[in-house]
Amino acid sequence: MSAHLSFFGAAGTVTGSRFLLEVKGHKYLIDCGLFQGGRSEKALNWEAFPVPPDRMDAVLLTHAHIDHVGYLPRLVRQGFRGPVYATEASHALLKIVLPDSAHLQEQDAAFANKKGYSRYKPALPLYTAADAEETLKLIRGISFDRPLGLDGVTITWRPAGHILGSAILDVEISNGGGSRHIVFSGDLGRYESEVMRPPTSLAEVDVLLIESTYGDRLHSDEPIQDVLAKALDYIVQREGVLLIPAFAVGRTQEVLYHIRQLQEKGRVPDLPVFIDSPMAVEISHIYCRFGDDHNLDVNLLMEEKECPLRCRDTHFVRDVEESKLLNARPGPAIIISASGMCNGGRIMHHLKWRLPDKRNVVLFVGYQAEGTRGRLLLEGAKRIRIHGEEVPVRARIFQAHALSAHADRDELLRWLSGFSRPPRHVFVIHGEPKSSRALQEHIQHRFGWEVSAPRTGEVYEIV
Ligand SMILES: [Zn+2]
């Protein structure tokens, strides 16, 4: 029999997770992520998929973040007819996340056409709402820890603690009398999160793919609530606005949880909090449905006043007009809006409005990929381009490492120490070259395992 693994994305970069596992001629795609970042990354989404999509047997998903699932509707548009397997909670999230992503694609194309700033005439969406709807029909929800048998492989989804529904994939290939375990870490969560459970340790592994988003760093141990309290004090004193770019799934809920805790402790006043995301309300409901994934009390989640994912003065902003009205809103106030890396979505008009004012704070709570506006702001840019205009940056820029949904270097090593035997080979993926290299060296030094950082297009023979 033959089995091999090809790397189509998240190799030397953080986004675009796509790995093809071929077993006895069957083709399984593990994750189907969108490349995110600057122009060169986005252009990768327009390239032809390396394998004809209609020849693939199935897609297996680790979790519902766009850099792991956002290419799916494009794959369907090009002829993929499923099935797509994901955990039940991921399935619920995909019903919100994929139509939203399609909407953003269509909106950005329409806006570019209206303003005439795209290099492509006319600018087209990568996929449409109709493609997202077709995609949703192909998704099958799978329970955690219950093996799924497909031709030549058995797959088990294990909790990864990164976001709701996030999983580590254990793919077992039977090989005559024996078997081989290919483990895909997906994105790994943190060990001490108040909201999410820690990542599951696995015993068996032959070939391992491990993420390395923070492979070269330790998260600061400054408690998250201290960082938030500092940012809030700043804007309360100056009557400014705290703007938090956050992915609607995961970070938004954790930020709300910690602000609520600060309110309960009397450390911050009850400021109005605007959740500028049509998805955020539904996502909070999904936390209620999937209580096993997190540490929150499901009974409290259902109580509007007691819900730990709501602050005392929370407002959900659904439509765009309402969102734009927030521009006239004086501080102090908190606005949470997507996208988390400032590369599209409603956060753009908030930034345009709030960045030039030095009373305001922009607080980053998630990873900012190379080439994104979020990364530029973190690196101290004095002005950034938004919708073809130069916007001066006078607002304070803060970062909350402790709110990361990703394990840091030591947590990744801790997770690796759980295996009962050394893997035959470890691939360090999902990181910028510097992080991947650092993690690679740490693994070699600490465990002495065979480890490499693959390139896009690389093929590895498993058996
Ligand atoms: Zn993720």
Side-chain angles (χ1 to χ4, degrees), residues 193-195 223-226 228-229 232 252-271 273 295-297 300-301 305-314 334 403:
S193 167
E194 284 183 41
V195 176
I224 174 58
Q225 290 178 12
D226 290 357
L228 277 171
L232 286 167
T252 295
Q253 291 74 29
E254 297 227 3
V255 168
L256 292 172
Y257 170 85
H258 288 290
I259 297 176
R260 176 66 186 246
Q261 294 288 311
L262 286 168
Q263 290 178 340
E264 295 289 337
K265 293 173 190 165
R267 283 181 68 186
V268 301
D270 294 353
L271 303 178
V273 181
N295 298 321
L296 305 175
D297 182 338
L300 285 185
L301 281 167
K305 285 220 165 62
E306 301 299 321
C307 174
L309 297 180
R310 255 173 218 229
C311 301
R312 293 232 181 85
D313 191 6
T314 300
I334 302 167
L403 252 189

Short mmCIF file of all heavy atoms in Angstrom, two decimals, residues 193-195 223-226 228-229 232 252-271 273 295-297 300-301 305-314 334 403:
data_model
loop_
_atom_site.label_atom_id
_atom_site.label_comp_id
_atom_site.label_asym_id
_atom_site.label_seq_id
_atom_site.Cartn_x
_atom_site.Cartn_y
_atom_site.Cartn_z
N SER A 193 -6.33 28.35 30.48
CA SER A 193 -7.42 29.26 30.11
C SER A 193 -8.59 29.12 31.09
O SER A 193 -8.93 28.02 31.51
CB SER A 193 -7.90 28.92 28.69
OG SER A 193 -9.12 29.57 28.44
N GLU A 194 -9.18 30.27 31.43
CA GLU A 194 -10.35 30.20 32.32
C GLU A 194 -11.58 29.73 31.56
O GLU A 194 -12.52 29.21 32.14
CB GLU A 194 -10.63 31.58 32.93
CG GLU A 194 -9.65 31.92 34.03
CD GLU A 194 -9.96 33.25 34.69
OE1 GLU A 194 -11.14 33.56 34.93
OE2 GLU A 194 -8.99 33.98 34.96
N VAL A 195 -11.59 29.95 30.25
CA VAL A 195 -12.79 29.62 29.47
C VAL A 195 -12.69 28.23 28.82
O VAL A 195 -13.61 27.43 28.91
CB VAL A 195 -13.05 30.71 28.40
CG1 VAL A 195 -14.23 30.35 27.52
CG2 VAL A 195 -13.29 32.07 29.07
N PRO A 223 -1.26 39.22 33.91
CA PRO A 223 -2.64 38.71 33.81
C PRO A 223 -3.47 39.54 32.84
O PRO A 223 -3.37 40.77 32.83
CB PRO A 223 -3.15 38.85 35.25
CG PRO A 223 -1.94 38.92 36.10
CD PRO A 223 -0.89 39.58 35.27
N ILE A 224 -4.30 38.86 32.09
CA ILE A 224 -5.09 39.52 31.06
C ILE A 224 -5.96 40.62 31.65
O ILE A 224 -6.15 41.68 31.07
CB ILE A 224 -5.94 38.49 30.27
CG1 ILE A 224 -6.89 39.20 29.31
CG2 ILE A 224 -6.71 37.53 31.11
CD1 ILE A 224 -6.23 40.09 28.32
N GLN A 225 -6.47 40.36 32.85
CA GLN A 225 -7.37 41.38 33.42
C GLN A 225 -6.61 42.66 33.77
O GLN A 225 -7.17 43.75 33.73
CB GLN A 225 -8.14 40.80 34.60
CG GLN A 225 -9.15 39.77 34.08
CD GLN A 225 -9.95 39.07 35.16
OE1 GLN A 225 -9.93 39.47 36.31
NE2 GLN A 225 -10.62 38.00 34.79
N ASP A 226 -5.30 42.54 34.07
CA ASP A 226 -4.50 43.75 34.33
C ASP A 226 -4.33 44.56 33.05
O ASP A 226 -4.41 45.79 33.06
CB ASP A 226 -3.10 43.39 34.86
CG ASP A 226 -3.18 42.83 36.28
OD1 ASP A 226 -4.29 42.79 36.84
OD2 ASP A 226 -2.12 42.43 36.82
N LEU A 228 -6.32 44.55 30.41
CA LEU A 228 -7.61 45.15 30.08
C LEU A 228 -7.92 46.34 30.97
O LEU A 228 -8.38 47.38 30.50
CB LEU A 228 -8.73 44.11 30.22
CG LEU A 228 -8.94 43.18 29.03
CD1 LEU A 228 -9.93 42.07 29.41
CD2 LEU A 228 -9.51 43.96 27.83
N ALA A 229 -7.62 46.20 32.26
CA ALA A 229 -7.91 47.28 33.21
C ALA A 229 -7.09 48.52 32.86
O ALA A 229 -7.59 49.64 32.91
CB ALA A 229 -7.61 46.82 34.64
N LEU A 232 -8.59 50.16 29.85
CA LEU A 232 -9.87 50.79 30.22
C LEU A 232 -9.63 52.07 31.03
O LEU A 232 -10.31 53.08 30.81
CB LEU A 232 -10.75 49.80 30.97
CG LEU A 232 -11.35 48.72 30.07
CD1 LEU A 232 -11.94 47.58 30.87
CD2 LEU A 232 -12.43 49.32 29.16
N THR A 252 -13.66 37.20 20.94
CA THR A 252 -14.70 38.12 21.39
C THR A 252 -15.30 37.64 22.71
O THR A 252 -15.44 38.40 23.66
CB THR A 252 -15.80 38.23 20.31
OG1 THR A 252 -15.21 38.83 19.17
CG2 THR A 252 -16.96 39.08 20.78
N GLN A 253 -15.61 36.35 22.79
CA GLN A 253 -16.22 35.82 24.00
C GLN A 253 -15.26 35.89 25.19
O GLN A 253 -15.66 36.17 26.31
CB GLN A 253 -16.70 34.37 23.78
CG GLN A 253 -17.88 34.23 22.83
CD GLN A 253 -17.49 34.44 21.37
OE1 GLN A 253 -16.36 34.18 20.96
NE2 GLN A 253 -18.42 34.93 20.57
N GLU A 254 -13.97 35.62 24.94
CA GLU A 254 -13.01 35.66 26.05
C GLU A 254 -12.82 37.10 26.55
O GLU A 254 -12.69 37.33 27.75
CB GLU A 254 -11.67 35.04 25.64
CG GLU A 254 -11.84 33.56 25.31
CD GLU A 254 -10.79 32.65 25.95
OE1 GLU A 254 -9.94 33.15 26.70
OE2 GLU A 254 -10.85 31.44 25.69
N VAL A 255 -12.80 38.06 25.62
CA VAL A 255 -12.66 39.46 26.03
C VAL A 255 -13.86 39.85 26.91
O VAL A 255 -13.70 40.44 27.98
CB VAL A 255 -12.59 40.39 24.79
CG1 VAL A 255 -12.73 41.84 25.20
CG2 VAL A 255 -11.28 40.19 24.05
N LEU A 256 -15.05 39.48 26.45
CA LEU A 256 -16.26 39.81 27.21
C LEU A 256 -16.23 39.17 28.59
O LEU A 256 -16.57 39.79 29.59
CB LEU A 256 -17.51 39.32 26.45
CG LEU A 256 -17.79 40.08 25.15
CD1 LEU A 256 -18.91 39.41 24.38
CD2 LEU A 256 -18.15 41.53 25.46
N TYR A 257 -15.77 37.92 28.62
CA TYR A 257 -15.69 37.21 29.89
C TYR A 257 -14.82 37.98 30.88
O TYR A 257 -15.20 38.19 32.03
CB TYR A 257 -15.13 35.80 29.65
CG TYR A 257 -14.79 35.06 30.92
CD1 TYR A 257 -15.78 34.36 31.61
CD2 TYR A 257 -13.50 35.09 31.44
CE1 TYR A 257 -15.47 33.70 32.79
CE2 TYR A 257 -13.19 34.44 32.62
CZ TYR A 257 -14.18 33.75 33.29
OH TYR A 257 -13.88 33.12 34.46
N HIS A 258 -13.64 38.44 30.41
CA HIS A 258 -12.71 39.10 31.33
C HIS A 258 -13.18 40.51 31.71
O HIS A 258 -12.98 40.93 32.85
CB HIS A 258 -11.30 39.12 30.74
CG HIS A 258 -10.67 37.76 30.75
ND1 HIS A 258 -10.28 37.13 31.91
CD2 HIS A 258 -10.41 36.89 29.74
CE1 HIS A 258 -9.78 35.94 31.61
NE2 HIS A 258 -9.86 35.76 30.30
N ILE A 259 -13.82 41.21 30.78
CA ILE A 259 -14.34 42.54 31.16
C ILE A 259 -15.44 42.37 32.21
O ILE A 259 -15.51 43.09 33.20
CB ILE A 259 -14.87 43.32 29.92
CG1 ILE A 259 -13.72 43.58 28.93
CG2 ILE A 259 -15.49 44.66 30.35
CD1 ILE A 259 -14.15 44.27 27.64
N ARG A 260 -16.27 41.35 32.00
CA ARG A 260 -17.33 41.08 32.97
C ARG A 260 -16.74 40.78 34.36
O ARG A 260 -17.22 41.25 35.38
CB ARG A 260 -18.19 39.91 32.49
CG ARG A 260 -19.27 39.46 33.45
CD ARG A 260 -20.32 40.56 33.61
NE ARG A 260 -21.30 40.23 34.63
CZ ARG A 260 -22.60 40.01 34.36
NH1 ARG A 260 -23.04 40.08 33.14
NH2 ARG A 260 -23.43 39.74 35.33
N GLN A 261 -15.65 39.98 34.37
CA GLN A 261 -14.99 39.66 35.64
C GLN A 261 -14.49 40.93 36.32
O GLN A 261 -14.62 41.09 37.52
CB GLN A 261 -13.81 38.72 35.39
CG GLN A 261 -14.19 37.34 34.88
CD GLN A 261 -14.83 36.51 35.97
OE1 GLN A 261 -14.31 36.41 37.06
NE2 GLN A 261 -15.99 35.94 35.67
N LEU A 262 -13.91 41.84 35.51
CA LEU A 262 -13.41 43.11 36.06
C LEU A 262 -14.56 43.93 36.63
O LEU A 262 -14.42 44.57 37.67
CB LEU A 262 -12.68 43.92 34.97
CG LEU A 262 -11.31 43.42 34.55
CD1 LEU A 262 -10.84 44.13 33.28
CD2 LEU A 262 -10.29 43.63 35.68
N GLN A 263 -15.70 43.89 35.96
CA GLN A 263 -16.88 44.61 36.46
C GLN A 263 -17.35 44.01 37.78
O GLN A 263 -17.64 44.72 38.74
CB GLN A 263 -18.02 44.55 35.43
CG GLN A 263 -17.74 45.37 34.18
CD GLN A 263 -18.86 45.25 33.14
OE1 GLN A 263 -19.65 44.31 33.16
NE2 GLN A 263 -18.92 46.22 32.24
N GLU A 264 -17.38 42.68 37.82
CA GLU A 264 -17.83 41.99 39.04
C GLU A 264 -16.94 42.34 40.22
O GLU A 264 -17.38 42.44 41.35
CB GLU A 264 -17.82 40.46 38.85
CG GLU A 264 -18.80 39.93 37.80
CD GLU A 264 -20.25 40.05 38.25
OE1 GLU A 264 -20.51 40.10 39.46
OE2 GLU A 264 -21.14 40.11 37.36
N LYS A 265 -15.61 42.50 39.94
CA LYS A 265 -14.66 42.81 41.01
C LYS A 265 -14.64 44.30 41.33
O LYS A 265 -13.88 44.73 42.18
CB LYS A 265 -13.25 42.38 40.58
CG LYS A 265 -13.08 40.86 40.46
CD LYS A 265 -11.72 40.54 39.87
CE LYS A 265 -11.64 39.05 39.51
NZ LYS A 265 -10.50 38.77 38.63
N GLY A 266 -15.40 45.08 40.57
CA GLY A 266 -15.43 46.53 40.81
C GLY A 266 -14.18 47.25 40.34
O GLY A 266 -13.91 48.37 40.75
N ARG A 267 -13.38 46.60 39.47
CA ARG A 267 -12.14 47.23 39.02
C ARG A 267 -12.35 48.21 37.87
O ARG A 267 -11.50 49.05 37.62
CB ARG A 267 -11.12 46.16 38.59
CG ARG A 267 -10.46 45.47 39.76
CD ARG A 267 -9.46 44.44 39.31
NE ARG A 267 -8.28 45.01 38.66
CZ ARG A 267 -7.33 44.28 38.09
NH1 ARG A 267 -7.41 42.96 38.11
NH2 ARG A 267 -6.30 44.85 37.52
N VAL A 268 -13.43 48.05 37.13
CA VAL A 268 -13.72 48.99 36.03
C VAL A 268 -15.19 49.40 36.09
O VAL A 268 -16.03 48.64 36.55
CB VAL A 268 -13.40 48.38 34.64
CG1 VAL A 268 -11.95 47.95 34.53
CG2 VAL A 268 -14.33 47.22 34.31
N PRO A 269 -15.49 50.61 35.62
CA PRO A 269 -16.90 51.03 35.61
C PRO A 269 -17.69 50.28 34.53
O PRO A 269 -17.11 49.69 33.62
CB PRO A 269 -16.83 52.52 35.29
CG PRO A 269 -15.50 52.73 34.64
CD PRO A 269 -14.58 51.66 35.13
N ASP A 270 -19.01 50.33 34.63
CA ASP A 270 -19.86 49.65 33.64
C ASP A 270 -19.99 50.51 32.38
O ASP A 270 -20.97 51.21 32.21
CB ASP A 270 -21.26 49.40 34.22
CG ASP A 270 -21.21 48.42 35.37
OD1 ASP A 270 -20.13 47.86 35.62
OD2 ASP A 270 -22.26 48.21 36.01
N LEU A 271 -19.00 50.43 31.53
CA LEU A 271 -19.05 51.20 30.28
C LEU A 271 -19.93 50.49 29.27
O LEU A 271 -20.06 49.28 29.31
CB LEU A 271 -17.66 51.29 29.66
CG LEU A 271 -16.55 51.88 30.51
CD1 LEU A 271 -15.26 51.83 29.72
CD2 LEU A 271 -16.89 53.29 30.89
N VAL A 273 -20.65 48.51 26.09
CA VAL A 273 -19.84 47.64 25.23
C VAL A 273 -20.64 47.34 23.98
O VAL A 273 -21.77 46.85 24.07
CB VAL A 273 -19.51 46.31 25.95
CG1 VAL A 273 -18.66 45.42 25.06
CG2 VAL A 273 -18.82 46.56 27.27
N ASN A 295 -15.22 25.70 30.19
CA ASN A 295 -15.36 25.65 31.64
C ASN A 295 -16.53 26.48 32.17
O ASN A 295 -16.70 26.58 33.38
CB ASN A 295 -14.08 26.21 32.29
CG ASN A 295 -12.87 25.37 31.93
OD1 ASN A 295 -12.94 24.15 31.86
ND2 ASN A 295 -11.74 26.03 31.68
N LEU A 296 -17.29 27.13 31.28
CA LEU A 296 -18.33 28.03 31.75
C LEU A 296 -19.58 27.26 32.16
O LEU A 296 -19.83 26.16 31.67
CB LEU A 296 -18.69 29.04 30.65
CG LEU A 296 -17.52 29.85 30.10
CD1 LEU A 296 -17.99 30.73 28.93
CD2 LEU A 296 -16.90 30.72 31.19
N ASP A 297 -20.36 27.87 33.04
CA ASP A 297 -21.58 27.24 33.52
C ASP A 297 -22.71 27.49 32.51
O ASP A 297 -23.13 28.63 32.30
CB ASP A 297 -21.92 27.87 34.89
CG ASP A 297 -23.16 27.25 35.51
OD1 ASP A 297 -23.98 26.67 34.76
OD2 ASP A 297 -23.30 27.35 36.74
N LEU A 300 -25.74 29.46 33.63
CA LEU A 300 -25.55 30.92 33.70
C LEU A 300 -25.56 31.54 32.31
O LEU A 300 -26.04 32.65 32.11
CB LEU A 300 -24.22 31.26 34.38
CG LEU A 300 -24.16 31.09 35.89
CD1 LEU A 300 -22.81 31.60 36.41
CD2 LEU A 300 -25.28 31.85 36.58
N LEU A 301 -25.01 30.79 31.33
CA LEU A 301 -24.94 31.30 29.95
C LEU A 301 -26.33 31.66 29.42
O LEU A 301 -26.49 32.52 28.58
CB LEU A 301 -24.31 30.27 29.03
CG LEU A 301 -22.79 30.15 29.06
CD1 LEU A 301 -22.35 28.88 28.35
CD2 LEU A 301 -22.12 31.34 28.42
N LYS A 305 -28.89 38.29 32.29
CA LYS A 305 -28.20 39.17 33.24
C LYS A 305 -26.94 38.53 33.82
O LYS A 305 -25.99 39.20 34.18
CB LYS A 305 -29.15 39.56 34.38
CG LYS A 305 -30.18 40.58 33.95
CD LYS A 305 -30.39 41.60 35.07
CE LYS A 305 -31.11 42.84 34.62
NZ LYS A 305 -32.47 42.60 34.12
N GLU A 306 -26.98 37.21 33.97
CA GLU A 306 -25.88 36.51 34.64
C GLU A 306 -24.84 35.97 33.67
O GLU A 306 -23.78 35.51 34.08
CB GLU A 306 -26.43 35.32 35.45
CG GLU A 306 -27.45 35.69 36.51
CD GLU A 306 -26.86 36.63 37.56
OE1 GLU A 306 -25.70 36.42 37.93
OE2 GLU A 306 -27.55 37.58 37.96
N CYS A 307 -25.15 35.99 32.38
CA CYS A 307 -24.27 35.35 31.40
C CYS A 307 -22.84 35.89 31.51
O CYS A 307 -22.62 37.08 31.38
CB CYS A 307 -24.80 35.58 29.99
SG CYS A 307 -23.67 34.96 28.74
N PRO A 308 -21.85 34.99 31.73
CA PRO A 308 -20.47 35.45 31.88
C PRO A 308 -19.87 35.95 30.57
O PRO A 308 -18.79 36.53 30.58
CB PRO A 308 -19.72 34.20 32.37
CG PRO A 308 -20.55 33.05 31.94
CD PRO A 308 -21.98 33.52 31.91
N LEU A 309 -20.57 35.74 29.45
CA LEU A 309 -20.07 36.22 28.16
C LEU A 309 -20.74 37.54 27.75
O LEU A 309 -20.75 37.91 26.59
CB LEU A 309 -20.29 35.16 27.07
CG LEU A 309 -19.54 33.85 27.27
CD1 LEU A 309 -19.83 32.88 26.15
CD2 LEU A 309 -18.04 34.09 27.38
N ARG A 310 -21.34 38.20 28.73
CA ARG A 310 -21.95 39.50 28.47
C ARG A 310 -21.50 40.48 29.53
O ARG A 310 -21.45 40.13 30.71
CB ARG A 310 -23.47 39.38 28.61
CG ARG A 310 -24.17 39.38 27.29
CD ARG A 310 -25.61 39.08 27.54
NE ARG A 310 -26.05 38.25 26.45
CZ ARG A 310 -27.15 38.47 25.76
NH1 ARG A 310 -27.95 39.46 26.08
NH2 ARG A 310 -27.49 37.69 24.78
N CYS A 311 -21.20 41.72 29.14
CA CYS A 311 -20.87 42.72 30.14
C CYS A 311 -22.18 43.35 30.59
O CYS A 311 -23.23 43.07 30.03
CB CYS A 311 -19.92 43.75 29.57
SG CYS A 311 -18.42 42.96 29.00
N ARG A 312 -22.11 44.23 31.60
CA ARG A 312 -23.35 44.75 32.19
C ARG A 312 -24.14 45.60 31.21
O ARG A 312 -25.36 45.64 31.27
CB ARG A 312 -23.02 45.55 33.44
CG ARG A 312 -22.47 44.68 34.54
CD ARG A 312 -23.24 44.90 35.84
NE ARG A 312 -22.68 44.06 36.89
CZ ARG A 312 -21.64 44.42 37.62
NH1 ARG A 312 -21.08 45.59 37.44
NH2 ARG A 312 -21.17 43.62 38.54
N ASP A 313 -23.41 46.33 30.33
CA ASP A 313 -24.11 47.26 29.43
C ASP A 313 -23.75 46.89 27.98
O ASP A 313 -23.11 47.64 27.28
CB ASP A 313 -23.63 48.69 29.79
CG ASP A 313 -24.46 49.77 29.11
OD1 ASP A 313 -25.46 49.42 28.46
OD2 ASP A 313 -24.07 50.94 29.23
N THR A 314 -24.16 45.67 27.60
CA THR A 314 -23.76 45.15 26.29
C THR A 314 -24.81 45.44 25.22
O THR A 314 -26.01 45.26 25.45
CB THR A 314 -23.57 43.61 26.38
OG1 THR A 314 -22.54 43.35 27.33
CG2 THR A 314 -23.16 43.02 25.04
N ILE A 334 -16.58 50.85 24.68
CA ILE A 334 -15.78 49.75 24.15
C ILE A 334 -16.47 49.26 22.87
O ILE A 334 -17.68 49.05 22.87
CB ILE A 334 -15.69 48.58 25.16
CG1 ILE A 334 -15.09 49.08 26.48
CG2 ILE A 334 -14.88 47.42 24.59
CD1 ILE A 334 -15.25 48.10 27.64
N LEU A 403 -4.27 36.76 26.15
CA LEU A 403 -5.56 36.36 25.60
C LEU A 403 -5.42 35.48 24.37
O LEU A 403 -6.40 35.11 23.74
CB LEU A 403 -6.37 37.59 25.23
CG LEU A 403 -7.55 37.90 26.13
CD1 LEU A 403 -8.39 39.00 25.54
CD2 LEU A 403 -8.42 36.68 26.38
#
